[in-house]
Amino acid sequence: MAASRKPTAKDEPNRRAEIVRAASRLFAEKGYAATPIRDIARAVDMQSGSPFYHFKTKHDMLKAVALEGIASISRAVSKAAERGDTPRATFEAMLLAHLEQLLGDDGRHFAATLLHESHHLDPAALAELIEQKDAYEALWQKALRELKRSGEIADDSRVTRLLLMGALNWTVQWYRPNGGRTVKQIARQISGMLLKSR
Amino acid sequence: MAASRKPTAKDEPNRRAEIVRAASRLFAEKGYAATPIRDIARAVDMQSGSPFYHFKTKHDMLKAVALEGIASISRAVSKAAERGDTPRATFEAMLLAHLEQLLGDDGRHFAATLLHESHHLDPAALAELIEQKDAYEALWQKALRELKRSGEIADDSRVTRLLLMGALNWTVQWYRPNGGRTVKQIARQISGMLLKSR
DNA sequence: CCTACCGATCGGTAGG
DNA sequence: CCTACCGATCGGTAGG
């Protein structure tokens, strides 16, 4: 898995992205504070000081991971939200997109870092992240509003949204691929729990 | 808040419990790996090496916090489960008890540590914790089973339980006391979302 | 991006 | 429980 040749500065076009990817995996698995930069460097075949050529501080790495995490979830769910023709179909497409980002191979470590390690960010970076997160959650608030208008949900308050986010985001803690249930089945079960008609 | 007298070995009857309490708060706020034992010692007016008189390792402190966390949640919810006369009343009492433990002043830091920092435990301690957690969640599975029998819920599968746990446990991320909603209101909203009749 | 390195911090311990 | 301390690790940097 690790390339044994010695990379040089001109070698890869985007070493920075590789670092972010490796960092996301290690932050997700061992936590930000418990991950030495040396481990991230080794994961991308660098020497221990070299990541600092791409990032000024370790915090900047975390910031990059967290922002990329919320950005790709946001992108995927926005796109899904455009496709539904009914409030219910829209909602179900959004559920599926959100879960695919959280549980899929590509975004899983970004999402886990975003959800569990963001509190290590400095206040400025945290504020930036919260701004993105608020914009993202507004998509859900809108979807809930339309479900209420069409009579498929009784309450579209902020608390409802937060409880829904909890049910979704908590899947990161227990979902295992090859664990019997597909992501699509879980999405369907959530909509079955929340929506009235069938 | 911090006593300025110098405590001696015979001084307090239960310094160990104070350490666990302080550790729960710091682990919850800054994370296990980012909390130096020196900070815990200072929080209980000890010198930096003294916590090791009570705990062999830092991991043992985390283990104590996590096990006390699951134990008190388990105790509170068990007690609540005994009091309801209908499946619905039982369920609502359990919801309230669980949330009070997670969000109340006493258990809040224990719960946050339990939920967010347990992965730092060594495999043996983690296995012990999971055993307790499984026993706890069986209480919920039973409650869901009875709600299904009485026709107030459509699905009492394991996934339903996990989604419910997610909605509940995620409150730790967003609930703020004096934030408008009481714990009781949140509990009621969850039962309103999940249960069919009114 | 590598080499070589520094200062600070940290978990843990010996001895009392 | 305190004093005094050690060895290891870690984020970060200078210079090339």
Side-chain angles (χ1 to χ4, degrees), chain B residues 15 46-47 50 53-54:
Chain B
R15 296 286 273 160
M46 280 181 180
Q47 296 305 312
S50 301
Y53 173 76
H54 298 276

Side-chain angles (χ1 to χ4, degrees), chain A residues 85-157:
Chain A
D85 9 324
T86 70
R88 180 185 202 105
T90 299
F91 183 64
E92 289 179 344
M94 289 171 70
L95 289 174
L96 186 59
H98 183 98
L99 289 175
E100 279 171 349
Q101 289 297 313
L102 256 64
L103 307 176
D105 276 337
D106 17 325
R108 171 165 126 237
H109 299 133
F110 285 90
T113 300
L114 172 68
L115 295 177
H116 300 319
E117 306 300 323
S118 295
H119 61 282
H120 286 112
L121 289 170
D122 53 286
L126 195 58
E128 193 174 335
L129 181 64
I130 288 175
E131 203 176 325
Q132 299 302 115
K133 213 157 65 173
D134 287 348
Y136 174 62
E137 298 206 354
L139 295 174
W140 286 98
Q141 202 69 64
K142 183 183 169 210
L144 290 175
R145 207 157 50 231
E146 286 169 11
L147 283 170
K148 184 172 183 193
R149 199 172 304 159
S150 71
E152 301 188 90
I153 210 175
D155 182 308
D156 67 346
S157 66

Side-chain angles (χ1 to χ4, degrees), chain B residues 173-194:
Chain B
Q173 308 269 4
W174 56 266
Y175 178 80
R176 294 293 169 264
N178 319 322
R181 290 156 205 84
T182 66
V183 172
K184 190 174 278 188
Q185 285 173 321
I186 296 171
R188 208 159 287 182
Q189 186 147 355
I190 294 180
S191 77
M193 264 173 67
L194 291 185

Side-chain angles (χ1 to χ4, degrees), chain A residues 75-86:
Chain A
R75 197 181 319 121
V77 173
S78 295
K79 200 172 294 184
E82 291 168 7
R83 275 202 296 268
D85 9 324
T86 70

